[in-house]
PDB file of all heavy atoms in Angstrom:
ATOM      1  N   ALA A   1       0.815  -1.211   0.000  1.00 94.00           N
ATOM      2  CA  ALA A   1       0.000   0.000   0.000  1.00 94.00           C
ATOM      3  C   ALA A   1       0.851   1.265   0.000  1.00 94.00           C
ATOM      4  O   ALA A   1       0.497   2.267  -0.636  1.00 94.00           O
ATOM      5  CB  ALA A   1      -0.932  -0.003   1.208  1.00 94.00           C
ATOM      6  N   ALA A   2       1.995   1.232   0.707  1.00 95.00           N
ATOM      7  CA  ALA A   2       2.852   2.416   0.758  1.00 95.00           C
ATOM      8  C   ALA A   2       3.399   2.744  -0.629  1.00 95.00           C
ATOM      9  O   ALA A   2       3.447   3.914  -1.038  1.00 95.00           O
ATOM     10  CB  ALA A   2       3.994   2.198   1.745  1.00 95.00           C
ATOM     11  N   GLY A   3       3.819   1.720  -1.358  1.00 94.00           N
ATOM     12  CA  GLY A   3       4.329   1.944  -2.709  1.00 94.00           C
ATOM     13  C   GLY A   3       3.254   2.474  -3.639  1.00 94.00           C
ATOM     14  O   GLY A   3       3.498   3.395  -4.426  1.00 94.00           O
ATOM     15  N   LEU A   4       2.050   1.895  -3.540  1.00 95.00           N
ATOM     16  CA  LEU A   4       0.946   2.366  -4.375  1.00 95.00           C
ATOM     17  C   LEU A   4       0.599   3.812  -4.038  1.00 95.00           C
ATOM     18  O   LEU A   4       0.371   4.634  -4.928  1.00 95.00           O
ATOM     19  CB  LEU A   4      -0.276   1.471  -4.168  1.00 95.00           C
ATOM     20  CG  LEU A   4      -1.505   1.776  -5.030  1.00 95.00           C
ATOM     21  CD1 LEU A   4      -1.197   1.618  -6.509  1.00 95.00           C
ATOM     22  CD2 LEU A   4      -2.673   0.871  -4.629  1.00 95.00           C
ATOM     23  N   GLY A   5       0.597   4.130  -2.739  1.00 96.00           N
ATOM     24  CA  GLY A   5       0.309   5.497  -2.324  1.00 96.00           C
ATOM     25  C   GLY A   5       1.342   6.484  -2.825  1.00 96.00           C
ATOM     26  O   GLY A   5       1.004   7.621  -3.206  1.00 96.00           O
ATOM     27  N   LEU A   6       2.623   6.066  -2.844  1.00 96.00           N
ATOM     28  CA  LEU A   6       3.676   6.947  -3.349  1.00 96.00           C
ATOM     29  C   LEU A   6       3.462   7.262  -4.822  1.00 96.00           C
ATOM     30  O   LEU A   6       3.563   8.415  -5.242  1.00 96.00           O
ATOM     31  CB  LEU A   6       5.046   6.299  -3.141  1.00 96.00           C
ATOM     32  CG  LEU A   6       6.242   7.048  -3.756  1.00 96.00           C
ATOM     33  CD1 LEU A   6       6.386   8.429  -3.137  1.00 96.00           C
ATOM     34  CD2 LEU A   6       7.525   6.235  -3.579  1.00 96.00           C
ATOM     35  N   VAL A   7       3.145   6.239  -5.615  1.00 95.00           N
ATOM     36  CA  VAL A   7       2.932   6.465  -7.044  1.00 95.00           C
ATOM     37  C   VAL A   7       1.750   7.397  -7.267  1.00 95.00           C
ATOM     38  O   VAL A   7       1.814   8.330  -8.082  1.00 95.00           O
ATOM     39  CB  VAL A   7       2.712   5.126  -7.779  1.00 95.00           C
ATOM     40  CG1 VAL A   7       2.382   5.375  -9.252  1.00 95.00           C
ATOM     41  CG2 VAL A   7       3.948   4.248  -7.674  1.00 95.00           C
ATOM     42  N   ILE A   8       0.665   7.171  -6.538  1.00 96.00           N
ATOM     43  CA  ILE A   8      -0.522   8.012  -6.697  1.00 96.00           C
ATOM     44  C   ILE A   8      -0.207   9.458  -6.320  1.00 96.00           C
ATOM     45  O   ILE A   8      -0.596  10.406  -7.019  1.00 96.00           O
ATOM     46  CB  ILE A   8      -1.692   7.460  -5.854  1.00 96.00           C
ATOM     47  CG1 ILE A   8      -2.189   6.142  -6.451  1.00 96.00           C
ATOM     48  CG2 ILE A   8      -2.836   8.482  -5.785  1.00 96.00           C
ATOM     49  CD1 ILE A   8      -3.279   5.467  -5.639  1.00 96.00           C
ATOM     50  N   ALA A   9       0.518   9.655  -5.211  1.00 96.00           N
ATOM     51  CA  ALA A   9       0.850  11.013  -4.768  1.00 96.00           C
ATOM     52  C   ALA A   9       1.744  11.726  -5.782  1.00 96.00           C
ATOM     53  O   ALA A   9       1.525  12.903  -6.114  1.00 96.00           O
ATOM     54  CB  ALA A   9       1.532  10.963  -3.406  1.00 96.00           C
ATOM     55  N   VAL A  10       2.747  11.007  -6.279  1.00 96.00           N
ATOM     56  CA  VAL A  10       3.663  11.608  -7.257  1.00 96.00           C
ATOM     57  C   VAL A  10       2.926  11.950  -8.547  1.00 96.00           C
ATOM     58  O   VAL A  10       3.072  13.056  -9.102  1.00 96.00           O
ATOM     59  CB  VAL A  10       4.841  10.656  -7.535  1.00 96.00           C
ATOM     60  CG1 VAL A  10       5.635  11.115  -8.755  1.00 96.00           C
ATOM     61  CG2 VAL A  10       5.752  10.566  -6.325  1.00 96.00           C
ATOM     62  N   GLN A  11       2.112  11.013  -9.021  1.00 96.00           N
ATOM     63  CA  GLN A  11       1.374  11.262 -10.257  1.00 96.00           C
ATOM     64  C   GLN A  11       0.362  12.391 -10.091  1.00 96.00           C
ATOM     65  O   GLN A  11       0.150  13.186 -11.008  1.00 96.00           O
ATOM     66  CB  GLN A  11       0.662   9.978 -10.709  1.00 96.00           C
ATOM     67  CG  GLN A  11       1.599   8.927 -11.280  1.00 96.00           C
ATOM     68  CD  GLN A  11       2.265   9.417 -12.544  1.00 96.00           C
ATOM     69  OE1 GLN A  11       3.483   9.520 -12.624  1.00 96.00           O
ATOM     70  NE2 GLN A  11       1.486   9.740 -13.552  1.00 96.00           N
ATOM     71  N   PHE A  12      -0.254  12.474  -8.924  1.00 97.00           N
ATOM     72  CA  PHE A  12      -1.208  13.551  -8.683  1.00 97.00           C
ATOM     73  C   PHE A  12      -0.515  14.911  -8.773  1.00 97.00           C
ATOM     74  O   PHE A  12      -1.021  15.844  -9.402  1.00 97.00           O
ATOM     75  CB  PHE A  12      -1.870  13.391  -7.311  1.00 97.00           C
ATOM     76  CG  PHE A  12      -2.868  14.467  -6.994  1.00 97.00           C
ATOM     77  CD1 PHE A  12      -4.173  14.375  -7.455  1.00 97.00           C
ATOM     78  CD2 PHE A  12      -2.506  15.572  -6.244  1.00 97.00           C
ATOM     79  CE1 PHE A  12      -5.102  15.375  -7.175  1.00 97.00           C
ATOM     80  CE2 PHE A  12      -3.418  16.574  -5.954  1.00 97.00           C
ATOM     81  CZ  PHE A  12      -4.727  16.475  -6.416  1.00 97.00           C
ATOM     82  N   GLY A  13       0.651  15.028  -8.143  1.00 97.00           N
ATOM     83  CA  GLY A  13       1.390  16.289  -8.223  1.00 97.00           C
ATOM     84  C   GLY A  13       1.788  16.625  -9.641  1.00 97.00           C
ATOM     85  O   GLY A  13       1.641  17.774 -10.092  1.00 97.00           O
ATOM     86  N   LEU A  14       2.295  15.637 -10.375  1.00 97.00           N
ATOM     87  CA  LEU A  14       2.713  15.852 -11.760  1.00 97.00           C
ATOM     88  C   LEU A  14       1.543  16.276 -12.634  1.00 97.00           C
ATOM     89  O   LEU A  14       1.622  17.262 -13.386  1.00 97.00           O
ATOM     90  CB  LEU A  14       3.347  14.572 -12.303  1.00 97.00           C
ATOM     91  CG  LEU A  14       3.646  14.537 -13.808  1.00 97.00           C
ATOM     92  CD1 LEU A  14       4.668  15.588 -14.174  1.00 97.00           C
ATOM     93  CD2 LEU A  14       4.109  13.148 -14.227  1.00 97.00           C
ATOM     94  N   VAL A  15       0.451  15.546 -12.528  1.00 96.00           N
ATOM     95  CA  VAL A  15      -0.696  15.798 -13.396  1.00 96.00           C
ATOM     96  C   VAL A  15      -1.336  17.154 -13.081  1.00 96.00           C
ATOM     97  O   VAL A  15      -1.788  17.862 -13.982  1.00 96.00           O
ATOM     98  CB  VAL A  15      -1.710  14.647 -13.268  1.00 96.00           C
ATOM     99  CG1 VAL A  15      -3.031  15.003 -13.935  1.00 96.00           C
ATOM    100  CG2 VAL A  15      -1.156  13.372 -13.899  1.00 96.00           C
ATOM    101  N   THR A  16      -1.378  17.530 -11.804  1.00 97.00           N
ATOM    102  CA  THR A  16      -1.925  18.842 -11.442  1.00 97.00           C
ATOM    103  C   THR A  16      -1.105  19.958 -12.073  1.00 97.00           C
ATOM    104  O   THR A  16      -1.654  20.920 -12.642  1.00 97.00           O
ATOM    105  CB  THR A  16      -1.964  19.008  -9.914  1.00 97.00           C
ATOM    106  OG1 THR A  16      -2.751  17.965  -9.332  1.00 97.00           O
ATOM    107  CG2 THR A  16      -2.558  20.357  -9.526  1.00 97.00           C
ATOM    108  N   CYS A  17       0.214  19.853 -11.986  1.00 97.00           N
ATOM    109  CA  CYS A  17       1.083  20.868 -12.595  1.00 97.00           C
ATOM    110  C   CYS A  17       0.917  20.909 -14.110  1.00 97.00           C
ATOM    111  O   CYS A  17       0.897  21.988 -14.717  1.00 97.00           O
ATOM    112  CB  CYS A  17       2.534  20.608 -12.221  1.00 97.00           C
ATOM    113  SG  CYS A  17       2.893  20.789 -10.462  1.00 97.00           S
ATOM    114  N   MET A  18       0.767  19.738 -14.721  1.00 97.00           N
ATOM    115  CA  MET A  18       0.563  19.700 -16.168  1.00 97.00           C
ATOM    116  C   MET A  18      -0.792  20.278 -16.545  1.00 97.00           C
ATOM    117  O   MET A  18      -0.940  20.923 -17.588  1.00 97.00           O
ATOM    118  CB  MET A  18       0.710  18.271 -16.681  1.00 97.00           C
ATOM    119  CG  MET A  18       2.117  17.721 -16.552  1.00 97.00           C
ATOM    120  SD  MET A  18       2.304  16.072 -17.259  1.00 97.00           S
ATOM    121  CE  MET A  18       2.178  16.446 -19.005  1.00 97.00           C
ATOM    122  N   GLY A  19      -1.805  20.041 -15.687  1.00 97.00           N
ATOM    123  CA  GLY A  19      -3.121  20.603 -15.947  1.00 97.00           C
ATOM    124  C   GLY A  19      -3.106  22.119 -15.971  1.00 97.00           C
ATOM    125  O   GLY A  19      -3.880  22.745 -16.709  1.00 97.00           O
ATOM    126  N   VAL A  20      -2.250  22.729 -15.165  1.00 97.00           N
ATOM    127  CA  VAL A  20      -2.083  24.186 -15.201  1.00 97.00           C
ATOM    128  C   VAL A  20      -1.238  24.596 -16.408  1.00 97.00           C
ATOM    129  O   VAL A  20      -1.582  25.529 -17.148  1.00 97.00           O
ATOM    130  CB  VAL A  20      -1.429  24.701 -13.904  1.00 97.00           C
ATOM    131  CG1 VAL A  20      -1.153  26.206 -14.007  1.00 97.00           C
ATOM    132  CG2 VAL A  20      -2.308  24.405 -12.695  1.00 97.00           C
ATOM    133  N   ALA A  21      -0.126  23.908 -16.611  1.00 97.00           N
ATOM    134  CA  ALA A  21       0.846  24.345 -17.625  1.00 97.00           C
ATOM    135  C   ALA A  21       0.333  24.169 -19.053  1.00 97.00           C
ATOM    136  O   ALA A  21       0.553  25.055 -19.901  1.00 97.00           O
ATOM    137  CB  ALA A  21       2.152  23.567 -17.444  1.00 97.00           C
ATOM    138  N   ASN A  22      -0.329  23.062 -19.352  1.00 97.00           N
ATOM    139  CA  ASN A  22      -0.661  22.760 -20.746  1.00 97.00           C
ATOM    140  C   ASN A  22      -1.547  23.810 -21.413  1.00 97.00           C
ATOM    141  O   ASN A  22      -1.239  24.258 -22.534  1.00 97.00           O
ATOM    142  CB  ASN A  22      -1.300  21.372 -20.836  1.00 97.00           C
ATOM    143  CG  ASN A  22      -0.301  20.256 -20.604  1.00 97.00           C
ATOM    144  OD1 ASN A  22       0.903  20.489 -20.597  1.00 97.00           O
ATOM    145  ND2 ASN A  22      -0.786  19.050 -20.393  1.00 97.00           N
ATOM    146  N   PRO A  23      -2.672  24.224 -20.798  1.00 97.00           N
ATOM    147  CA  PRO A  23      -3.472  25.257 -21.481  1.00 97.00           C
ATOM    148  C   PRO A  23      -2.768  26.603 -21.567  1.00 97.00           C
ATOM    149  O   PRO A  23      -2.980  27.356 -22.527  1.00 97.00           O
ATOM    150  CB  PRO A  23      -4.753  25.341 -20.637  1.00 97.00           C
ATOM    151  CG  PRO A  23      -4.398  24.762 -19.311  1.00 97.00           C
ATOM    152  CD  PRO A  23      -3.352  23.728 -19.589  1.00 97.00           C
ATOM    153  N   VAL A  24      -1.917  26.912 -20.574  1.00 97.00           N
ATOM    154  CA  VAL A  24      -1.173  28.168 -20.630  1.00 97.00           C
ATOM    155  C   VAL A  24      -0.178  28.126 -21.790  1.00 97.00           C
ATOM    156  O   VAL A  24      -0.033  29.102 -22.538  1.00 97.00           O
ATOM    157  CB  VAL A  24      -0.450  28.426 -19.292  1.00 97.00           C
ATOM    158  CG1 VAL A  24       0.415  29.678 -19.386  1.00 97.00           C
ATOM    159  CG2 VAL A  24      -1.460  28.587 -18.162  1.00 97.00           C
ATOM    160  N   ILE A  25       0.507  26.989 -21.951  1.00 96.00           N
ATOM    161  CA  ILE A  25       1.451  26.843 -23.060  1.00 96.00           C
ATOM    162  C   ILE A  25       0.730  26.918 -24.400  1.00 96.00           C
ATOM    163  O   ILE A  25       1.189  27.577 -25.344  1.00 96.00           O
ATOM    164  CB  ILE A  25       2.230  25.525 -22.922  1.00 96.00           C
ATOM    165  CG1 ILE A  25       3.189  25.600 -21.734  1.00 96.00           C
ATOM    166  CG2 ILE A  25       2.990  25.195 -24.206  1.00 96.00           C
ATOM    167  CD1 ILE A  25       3.843  24.274 -21.390  1.00 96.00           C
ATOM    168  N   ALA A  26      -0.419  26.232 -24.505  1.00 96.00           N
ATOM    169  CA  ALA A  26      -1.170  26.246 -25.764  1.00 96.00           C
ATOM    170  C   ALA A  26      -1.603  27.657 -26.131  1.00 96.00           C
ATOM    171  O   ALA A  26      -1.526  28.070 -27.301  1.00 96.00           O
ATOM    172  CB  ALA A  26      -2.384  25.324 -25.645  1.00 96.00           C
ATOM    173  N   THR A  27      -2.047  28.424 -25.141  1.00 96.00           N
ATOM    174  CA  THR A  27      -2.470  29.806 -25.387  1.00 96.00           C
ATOM    175  C   THR A  27      -1.275  30.693 -25.725  1.00 96.00           C
ATOM    176  O   THR A  27      -1.331  31.531 -26.637  1.00 96.00           O
ATOM    177  CB  THR A  27      -3.207  30.347 -24.152  1.00 96.00           C
ATOM    178  OG1 THR A  27      -4.294  29.474 -23.842  1.00 96.00           O
ATOM    179  CG2 THR A  27      -3.735  31.744 -24.401  1.00 96.00           C
ATOM    180  N   TYR A  28      -0.191  30.517 -24.980  1.00 95.00           N
ATOM    181  CA  TYR A  28       1.056  31.275 -25.214  1.00 95.00           C
ATOM    182  C   TYR A  28       1.528  31.065 -26.656  1.00 95.00           C
ATOM    183  O   TYR A  28       1.917  32.003 -27.356  1.00 95.00           O
ATOM    184  CB  TYR A  28       2.088  30.759 -24.219  1.00 95.00           C
ATOM    185  CG  TYR A  28       3.342  31.574 -24.049  1.00 95.00           C
ATOM    186  CD1 TYR A  28       3.475  32.489 -23.010  1.00 95.00           C
ATOM    187  CD2 TYR A  28       4.434  31.386 -24.883  1.00 95.00           C
ATOM    188  CE1 TYR A  28       4.654  33.207 -22.813  1.00 95.00           C
ATOM    189  CE2 TYR A  28       5.607  32.096 -24.710  1.00 95.00           C
ATOM    190  CZ  TYR A  28       5.712  33.002 -23.667  1.00 95.00           C
ATOM    191  OH  TYR A  28       6.875  33.702 -23.486  1.00 95.00           O
ATOM    192  N   ARG A  29       1.456  29.823 -27.120  1.00 95.00           N
ATOM    193  CA  ARG A  29       1.917  29.469 -28.465  1.00 95.00           C
ATOM    194  C   ARG A  29       1.027  30.105 -29.531  1.00 95.00           C
ATOM    195  O   ARG A  29       1.517  30.652 -30.526  1.00 95.00           O
ATOM    196  CB  ARG A  29       1.910  27.946 -28.582  1.00 95.00           C
ATOM    197  CG  ARG A  29       2.512  27.363 -29.825  1.00 95.00           C
ATOM    198  CD  ARG A  29       2.532  25.856 -29.687  1.00 95.00           C
ATOM    199  NE  ARG A  29       1.199  25.318 -29.430  1.00 95.00           N
ATOM    200  CZ  ARG A  29       0.968  24.101 -28.947  1.00 95.00           C
ATOM    201  NH1 ARG A  29       1.971  23.301 -28.640  1.00 95.00           N
ATOM    202  NH2 ARG A  29      -0.266  23.681 -28.776  1.00 95.00           N
ATOM    203  N   LEU A  30      -0.289  30.055 -29.349  1.00 95.00           N
ATOM    204  CA  LEU A  30      -1.204  30.665 -30.311  1.00 95.00           C
ATOM    205  C   LEU A  30      -1.055  32.181 -30.336  1.00 95.00           C
ATOM    206  O   LEU A  30      -1.101  32.808 -31.402  1.00 95.00           O
ATOM    207  CB  LEU A  30      -2.648  30.294 -29.966  1.00 95.00           C
ATOM    208  CG  LEU A  30      -3.092  28.867 -30.273  1.00 95.00           C
ATOM    209  CD1 LEU A  30      -4.508  28.636 -29.770  1.00 95.00           C
ATOM    210  CD2 LEU A  30      -2.995  28.563 -31.758  1.00 95.00           C
ATOM    211  N   ASP A  31      -0.872  32.770 -29.176  1.00 94.00           N
ATOM    212  CA  ASP A  31      -0.777  34.215 -29.086  1.00 94.00           C
ATOM    213  C   ASP A  31       0.449  34.746 -29.816  1.00 94.00           C
ATOM    214  O   ASP A  31       0.442  35.870 -30.317  1.00 94.00           O
ATOM    215  CB  ASP A  31      -0.734  34.628 -27.613  1.00 94.00           C
ATOM    216  CG  ASP A  31      -0.757  36.130 -27.425  1.00 94.00           C
ATOM    217  OD1 ASP A  31      -1.679  36.772 -27.945  1.00 94.00           O
ATOM    218  OD2 ASP A  31       0.167  36.666 -26.765  1.00 94.00           O
ATOM    219  N   ARG A  32       1.506  33.962 -29.878  1.00 93.00           N
ATOM    220  CA  ARG A  32       2.759  34.401 -30.477  1.00 93.00           C
ATOM    221  C   ARG A  32       2.981  33.856 -31.887  1.00 93.00           C
ATOM    222  O   ARG A  32       4.096  33.862 -32.387  1.00 93.00           O
ATOM    223  CB  ARG A  32       3.931  34.017 -29.565  1.00 93.00           C
ATOM    224  CG  ARG A  32       4.034  34.966 -28.389  1.00 93.00           C
ATOM    225  CD  ARG A  32       4.676  34.339 -27.183  1.00 93.00           C
ATOM    226  NE  ARG A  32       4.725  35.314 -26.102  1.00 93.00           N
ATOM    227  CZ  ARG A  32       3.677  35.623 -25.337  1.00 93.00           C
ATOM    228  NH1 ARG A  32       2.516  35.028 -25.522  1.00 93.00           N
ATOM    229  NH2 ARG A  32       3.784  36.539 -24.372  1.00 93.00           N
TER     230      ARG A  32
END
């Protein structure tokens, strides 16, 4: 369970950051 929890926590952090970054990057790219 500890290993599974670590993967979930790490992936949650990664995916949250990507959820913020991806639309900002897409908009930044179109704007320029």
Side-chain angles (χ1 to χ4, degrees):
L4 183 62
L6 174 62
V7 176
I8 291 176
V10 168
Q11 287 296 119
F12 180 84
L14 171 63
V15 169
T16 302
C17 295
M18 293 184 71
V20 175
N22 288 348
V24 176
I25 290 171
T27 304
Y28 193 97
R29 188 174 56 197
L30 286 175
D31 185 55
R32 283 153 180 79

